[in-house]
Amino acid sequence: MLGLLNITMEIRYGEGIKAFMRLQRTLMETSTDESIFAWTTPPTGLSCYRSLGHTPAFDPKEWGLLAPSPDCFLDSKDFIVPPNLYVPRPGGGYQWGQQGVTFQMRARPGAEYVNVWGMPRSKVSLLLNCWRYGDGQAYCVSIDLARKGDLYMKVQCNTLGEKKGARPKGNNPLVPLTIVPMTIRQPEFDPLV
């Protein structure tokens, strides 16, 4: 499978459920494809971990940008990233850090990610650079984020938003926007839970 994805990963014996997170991080390092963030929690739970004899601690309503399980991609088969709709993000897109994934977002000063009191908004809808076609139209996929302290978390993990005709804000030097870093915390599974 790694050959199909055009990546290489060393084998780490005993890694268990953390291997899928490492696979996603490796994909992030080699691609700007944001459809990796377009996943939903399956209504039946994380079935791929049943062989462990227990289910890892996981809140299906709130998580990071990386999926906790391959099961979360069951409904993600028809996403596309057409070159004519792709919008390059400032700073090269997204980066993996110690706390999670950071996007360099373009926003109007005091408008997009800041409320009327100058504080960061508590909820944000993040448009991804991936689309789903329906009724002959391209629908931009979005995910909902909620502010938790200084970081954001993906919320409503059981659904994805779709916005007709929308596109992420990119590098347009003619539009006076500021760069706002937004970090989405990525929890890790505790294998002993």
Side-chain angles (χ1 to χ4, degrees):
M1 181 171 122
L2 298 178
L4 293 173
L5 299 172
N6 199 25
I7 61 171
T8 57
M9 283 178 49
E10 64 183 55
I11 295 173
R12 294 183 185 169
Y13 294 101
E15 185 175 30
I17 60 178
K18 292 186 177 190
F20 185 64
M21 289 291 186
R22 191 165 61 93
L23 171 63
Q24 291 176 92
R25 282 191 223 135
T26 303
L27 287 169
M28 284 177 53
E29 293 169 3
T30 60
S31 173
T32 57
D33 185 345
E34 295 176 16
S35 66
I36 193 169
F37 308 128
W39 56 268
T40 56
T41 52
T44 58
L46 305 179
S47 63
C48 75
Y49 298 128
R50 288 191 185 132
S51 65
L52 295 175
H54 68 282
T55 302
F58 168 68
D59 182 353
K61 297 181 198 104
E62 182 178 288
W63 195 251
L65 281 183
L66 300 181
S69 161
D71 300 326
C72 297
F73 289 99
L74 290 174
D75 293 328
S76 301
K77 60 188 171 296
D78 56 351
F79 293 125
I80 58 167
V81 184
N84 63 320
L85 294 177
Y86 181 82
V87 179
R89 292 200 186 264
Y94 50 81
Q95 294 83 32
W96 175 260
Q98 288 187 345
Q99 295 184 309
V101 181
T102 300
F103 278 85
Q104 299 297 323
M105 306 297 294
R106 289 179 58 90
R108 287 184 188 86
E112 286 295 316
Y113 301 105
V114 179
N115 64 20
V116 293
W117 298 282
M119 299 297 292
R121 284 188 179 178
S122 60
K123 294 196 177 184
V124 174
S125 182
L126 175 64
L127 295 174
L128 298 176
N129 261 315
C130 65
W131 288 261
R132 179 178 272 164
Y133 275 100
D135 305 324
Q137 299 286 327
Y139 292 86
C140 187
V141 177
S142 68
I143 56 174
D144 292 327
L145 304 173
R147 189 170 179 80
K148 305 285 181 177
D150 291 337
L151 306 172
Y152 287 84
M153 294 290 291
K154 181 177 176 178
V155 293
Q156 299 177 353
C157 297
N158 60 334
T159 62
L160 293 171
E162 294 181 359
K163 300 187 189 294
K164 181 178 172 184
R167 293 175 75 178
K169 288 181 174 59
N171 293 320
N172 184 349
L174 302 177
V175 179
L177 300 175
T178 59
I179 305 300
V180 179
M182 177 186 287
T183 301
I184 299 95
R185 187 174 79 81
Q186 184 64 48
E188 294 281 341
F189 280 133
D190 181 354
L192 301 176
V193 176

